[in-house]
Amino acid sequence: MSAVVGAFVALVSVAVLGYVVGLLGVLRAQDELVLSRLAFYVATPALLFATVARADLHSIFSAVLVTNVISLFVVQVVFVVVAALIWRRTRSQTTIGVLASSYVNAGNLGVPVAAYVLGDGALVAPIVLFQLLVMAPVAFAVLDGDRQGSGRRVSLRTVLARPLRNPLTVASLLGLLVASLDVQLPSVVMRPIDLLAAAAVPVGLIAYGLSLSGGTRDSITLRRDVVLAVLLKTALQPVIAYVVARWVLDLHGTALLAPTLLAALPSAQNVYVYAVHYRASRTLARSAVLLSTLLSIPVMTAITGLLA
């Protein structure tokens, strides 16, 4: 359980640093956009390429992936029904909300949690790959087609082609190609990529903390979209994962703990980076990331204590 708390402390510390440098005037609140673009166009693509290129593709089809896909599908359907059909949110607003309620922090938080709590960091690989290769491209297609909530219609060909111009999707696909061909890229190629990849998480977190330093009234909100996304993420998703793992797949012990614990991971800070890039529901993304992170600490600690 201490590993879970330690991983959260590391994340929060870097975000607090971004908040402090914003308060001190070292960086301006407006620099948030610059850092977010740096993360979106440079650092995060490098991280995705390095992660996918080194992944064991045989581990994709696992119990962790099955439970993750089913649980996220359920929470996504619930959010879409409530937000789009009942509350009449735009496609962009709904898409960011869907990501906030189901896109877990599998990279920088999931890896240490899997390694130190479950004893195998590779357990999180299926979730990382699924989010990068399926969830993110689909979300980008919707956000590109409905940029800034304009609602304008675009052709199917344009929608399908746009993800291929997105640096995150391209980096993921290139990494998948390298992994599928089992190619060992020389260190002279991978070292600069790894160097850039190492900046993805801290830059994204600093940008997030910096966004809170402006003191605007809508920095964090508890409006119903946020509450719905956070409840789905921190409560319903791990419950669904547990039900599927326990009573559908008949898993026990660590095999049951792994999918349940990983489903309880909070919303990834990448959701906020995407919201900034597409200028859609930034307050929703910012609030959901912060609140789900805070609530996930006791939730994941309880899950570990009950199932370990």
Side-chain angles (χ1 to χ4, degrees), residues 77-307:
V77 169
V78 172
F79 191 91
V80 169
V81 169
V82 175
L85 301 184
I86 299 178
W87 295 342
R88 300 296 181 182
R89 300 295 188 252
T90 66
R91 285 182 294 178
S92 291
Q93 293 170 335
T94 303
T95 301
I96 295 298
V98 164
L99 290 177
S101 64
S102 61
Y103 198 106
V104 303
N105 197 329
N108 56 302
L109 183 58
V111 170
V113 166
Y116 294 111
V117 179
L118 302 173
D120 185 4
L123 287 172
V124 78
I127 299 177
V128 173
L129 293 175
F130 180 79
Q131 291 186 160
L132 299 181
L133 301 178
V134 179
M135 284 184 65
V138 171
F140 297 154
V142 176
L143 291 168
D144 277 324
D146 191 38
R147 201 175 182 93
Q148 299 185 46
S150 63
R152 65 182 183 279
R153 294 184 178 274
V154 294
S155 67
L156 178 61
R157 180 179 178 181
T158 301
V159 170
L160 295 177
R162 275 175 175 166
L164 299 179
R165 297 197 294 268
N166 187 291
L168 304 183
T169 307
V170 173
S172 300
L173 293 176
L174 290 176
L176 182 61
L177 176 63
V178 172
S180 62
L181 295 177
D182 196 20
V183 176
Q184 297 292 329
L185 295 178
S187 59
V188 69
V189 174
M190 291 304 299
R191 281 181 180 175
I193 294 176
D194 289 335
L195 188 62
L196 291 172
V201 173
V203 168
L205 289 173
I206 289 175
Y208 176 77
L210 186 60
S211 70
L212 301 176
S213 67
T216 57
R217 180 177 298 179
D218 62 346
S219 291
I220 297 296
T221 179
L222 290 176
R223 70 189 189 195
R224 56 187 181 179
D225 302 70
V226 174
V227 172
L228 176 62
V230 172
L231 288 178
L232 291 176
K233 179 74 230 41
T234 58
L236 183 59
Q237 190 166 0
V239 167
I240 297 298
Y242 174 84
V243 170
V244 173
R246 177 66 181 85
W247 285 292
V248 177
L249 302 179
D250 194 28
L251 300 179
H252 303 275
T254 302
L256 175 61
L257 172 62
T260 307
L261 185 64
L262 295 178
L265 290 167
S267 304
Q269 78 273 4
N270 281 353
V271 175
Y272 176 71
V273 173
Y274 304 156
V276 172
H277 177 74
Y278 287 102
R279 301 178 183 178
S281 299
R282 281 178 282 187
T283 301
L284 166 61
R286 182 192 298 117
S287 302
V289 169
L290 176 62
L291 296 176
S292 67
T293 299
L294 294 177
L295 290 177
S296 290
I297 298 175
V299 170
M300 295 180 70
T301 302
I303 290 173
T304 304
L306 292 173
L307 301 182

Side-chain angles (χ1 to χ4, degrees), residues 60-72:
I60 294 180
F61 299 102
S62 66
V64 170
L65 177 62
V66 173
T67 55
N68 178 258
V69 170
I70 294 176
S71 61
L72 71 86

